[in-house]
Amino acid sequence: MTERVSVHSGHNFREVAPELLSPLTWSIIGPGMERGFRDAAVKFGRQQPTGPRPSFVSYFGFRPFFNMTTVERLADELPVVDPEDIWELLLGGAGPESKREKRPGKLHRARRLRGALSFLGNNAHAFGRAQAELTAAEAAVLDAINTGGSWQAGSACDAAIKAGRTAWALHIRTTSVALVAASVTKQILRLQYDSDTALELLRAGAHRKEGASASARGGILTEDLHRLNNYEVTDGGGPFARFSSPVLSSAASVLRGKGVAERADTGLDEVGIPLGTALGPVFDRTVRMLGLALGERERSKEIGLRALHCTRVLLDRGAFGADPAEAALLGVQELRQLDARARKRLVDERAEELEEAAKLDFPVDVQQTNGQLTAARRARRGKTANAGQALAPGWAEGVLVQESDGEEGRIVVGDRVDGNYVLAVLPDGVVSKYGSVLSHVAIVCRELGIPFIAGVATDPTDLGKRAVVDGWTGTVSVDAGSPTGRVVA
């Protein structure tokens, strides 16, 4: 009997989402992302999954993952993308040590190019559809709020769920475009520089040049700004709130109190290959495309978060006749189809499962072998095993804090640091356990000239101590210059 092995990664989700994500939130995000991947498979994939069972996304122990085995198989079809770049640029490091499938030949990949370009180039239509559905959903929410009827709330909730799934399908499309642009830019740089230098140049140049940030906008539907900062949108008032870090949402009070802080223009100069070389103009075009792609990626995320926020607003007003706290433990179809007794039974079962799942130290990368889950080991890269990833260049010295009110001399640390939080408090430096070249917080930090290092878990006993963050080398030095000083990354 042949072993069925697949590798799943939750790294990208853990950059911005609470570790434990409710079934309700996942029943909107998951199917939307699965649809985005399947749309790509229709255009240029060898295998085109069918049926209700997800092939590209997964959900274990109330935690979201990408099925990287099938995602890599799809990326193998792209002639201009190195599959390793999915791990390096999007998932924060080298891929796992497990054996990969043999990649199709160059001729096969060239034949897929037309379909890939059709998928990647159809963003305008996809954006228009997602924005139209969100507009309709928000209008329905306002009608439901004004009339106060449960039927109107349920109808509007259906519209918000539809808009959310469309938006998260769009997010996969825009993320694919950003990944292709980043991978092509990196390959161009590697023609003239070694791999490490090429990656450093890409990190310095990979920031948005067009478009507004994904920070929340004011208004009746977005008055609770923290709900637009991460995927806690439908979980904030339910049982999952106990397992979420309040720091992820604390930007709300800062923004409501004084708005986005001002910061001197300390952004990095644009990086470019000398235009006298043959590669100069090519690099200039690709890096501009990358900037646009990153802007589209962040806007698609905002559309998805706004749709999720609509769902939360409606559940608070009695949509589906469900208690909001109980609704978090149910998926969309279960809310629609189950009667009150069946809902209660399922909620009680999942509440117990949640308590047990919260106690597990779940690995960010897992390997599934014949249904059994184990930790997936990634290959080591870098100077030392403890080296952090320098994702935004710069140098900063300050006090390590989890929360900041915008004071000078503060370095914000945490397992995950939201990009909107950085926009709100403008710290001198950022250190996070999770992050990648294409993550939102890395993009924001590069735009603002704030050094950012990922892959570092800060010891709670170091909070309040002074530290030096070197965004060029990826090192964090605590109590530098004192007898007890040490380098933690």
Side-chain angles (χ1 to χ4, degrees):
M1 181 178 177
T2 304
E3 281 192 330
R4 297 185 61 184
V5 180
S6 57
V7 175
H8 307 255
S9 179
H11 190 285
N12 187 256
F13 287 106
R14 293 197 189 181
E15 291 176 11
V16 291
E19 183 174 341
L20 295 171
L21 205 64
S22 75
L24 177 59
T25 301
W26 182 242
S27 69
I28 298 173
I29 295 175
M33 289 185 169
E34 178 73 16
R35 186 204 307 174
F37 281 117
R38 291 193 181 194
D39 288 346
V42 168
K43 289 291 186 179
F44 58 86
R46 280 176 294 173
Q47 301 177 2
Q48 299 179 14
T50 58
R53 185 182 180 87
S55 299
F56 296 96
V57 297
S58 44
Y59 187 61
F60 305 121
F62 298 96
R63 295 162 173 90
F65 295 84
F66 287 122
N67 185 334
M68 293 308 298
T69 299
T70 51
V71 171
E72 281 187 331
R73 191 177 297 136
L74 182 61
D76 279 343
E77 303 293 318
L78 294 172
V80 294
V81 172
D82 181 353
E84 280 295 317
D85 285 344
I86 298 178
W87 292 93
E88 183 69 50
L89 303 179
L90 195 60
L91 301 176
E97 297 174 346
S98 57
K99 185 178 179 181
R100 296 184 70 251
E101 293 183 4
K102 184 178 179 181
R103 192 177 190 191
K106 292 183 178 180
L107 181 59
H108 172 91
R109 284 180 278 144
R111 290 171 177 167
R112 302 287 182 175
L113 182 59
R114 181 177 179 182
L117 292 176
S118 174
F119 172 77
L120 298 175
N122 198 30
N123 275 11
H125 174 75
F127 253 107
R129 178 183 174 190
Q131 189 63 61
E133 290 187 4
L134 175 65
T135 300
E138 290 184 335
V141 172
L142 293 176
D143 288 341
I145 292 173
N146 291 331
T147 60
S150 59
W151 182 87
Q152 288 87 344
S155 177
C157 202
D158 284 336
I161 291 166
K162 179 183 177 183
R165 288 176 173 173
T166 299
W168 292 110
L170 172 66
H171 190 63
I172 292 301
R173 180 185 293 274
T174 55
T175 299
S176 300
V177 174
L179 174 64
V180 169
S183 185
V184 170
T185 304
K186 180 183 173 185
Q187 290 182 51
I188 292 172
L189 290 168
R190 288 183 65 181
L191 294 174
Q192 190 160 331
Y193 301 96
D194 60 63
S195 297
D196 291 339
T197 303
L199 188 57
E200 289 300 319
L201 287 171
L202 176 63
R203 287 169 177 165
H207 57 85
R208 289 175 291 126
K209 303 181 188 303
E210 303 287 345
S213 71
S215 55
R217 298 188 178 96
I220 188 171
L221 295 178
T222 57
E223 57 186 4
D224 295 322
L225 298 181
H226 68 282
R227 289 178 177 170
L228 289 179
N229 283 356
N230 50 66
Y231 298 161
E232 292 180 64
V233 181
T234 58
D235 303 344
F240 287 81
R242 293 188 293 119
F243 307 110
S244 299
S245 168
V247 179
L248 279 173
S249 301
S250 58
S253 59
V254 176
L255 287 169
R256 278 197 292 264
K258 63 180 183 180
V260 177
E262 296 293 332
R263 184 183 180 91
D265 185 11
T266 58
L268 297 171
D269 292 335
E270 291 188 15
V271 177
I273 296 175
L275 295 182
T277 68
L279 292 176
V282 178
F283 172 79
D284 184 63
R285 287 180 177 274
T286 56
V287 82
R288 288 181 183 279
M289 183 179 77
L290 175 58
L292 291 169
L294 293 172
E296 289 183 342
R297 181 171 184 251
E298 299 313 317
R299 285 193 290 275
S300 68
K301 174 186 171 185
E302 181 179 353
I303 293 173
L305 292 176
R306 286 169 63 183
L308 285 173
H309 180 66
C310 287
T311 305
R312 174 71 192 199
V313 169
L314 293 163
L315 287 170
D316 287 344
R317 285 165 172 76
F320 300 122
D323 178 87
E326 294 183 350
L329 288 162
L330 300 169
V332 169
Q333 290 303 111
E334 292 159 348
L335 280 170
R336 287 170 171 166
Q337 297 175 359
L338 298 182
D339 59 28
R341 180 177 297 180
R343 284 183 188 176
K344 184 66 168 63
R345 182 171 60 250
L346 191 55
V347 165
D348 291 342
E349 291 175 1
R350 286 187 179 158
E352 294 180 5
E353 293 172 0
L354 175 61
E355 293 296 330
E356 294 301 316
K359 299 174 185 177
L360 299 176
D361 185 14
F362 225 82
V364 68
D365 302 304
V366 298
Q367 180 171 304
Q368 187 178 29
T369 306
N370 293 332
Q372 299 297 315
L373 297 178
T374 56
R377 297 179 57 187
R378 287 208 196 183
R380 291 286 188 186
R381 286 186 186 171
K383 300 175 184 177
T384 68
N386 296 322
Q389 293 188 72
L391 298 179
W395 186 92
E397 182 177 3
V399 177
L400 298 176
V401 298
Q402 283 189 317
E403 294 187 69
S404 171
D405 288 331
E407 316 97 298
E408 292 186 4
R410 297 292 185 265
I411 296 172
V412 173
V413 301
D415 282 358
R416 50 185 70 79
V417 179
D418 188 78
N420 283 0
Y421 185 76
V422 174
L423 284 168
V425 302
L426 296 178
D428 288 64
V430 177
V431 179
S432 176
K433 184 176 179 179
Y434 301 108
S436 63
V437 174
L438 298 180
S439 64
H440 179 52
V441 64
I443 298 166
V444 170
C445 286
R446 285 192 294 264
E447 289 180 342
L448 298 176
I450 298 172
F452 171 47
I453 297 175
V456 177
T458 306
D459 191 323
T461 62
D462 287 334
L463 293 175
K465 296 180 180 179
R466 294 195 67 81
V468 173
V469 174
D470 190 336
W472 300 102
T473 63
T475 59
V476 181
S477 304
V478 178
D479 283 342
S482 72
T484 59
R486 67 194 190 283
V487 177
V488 298

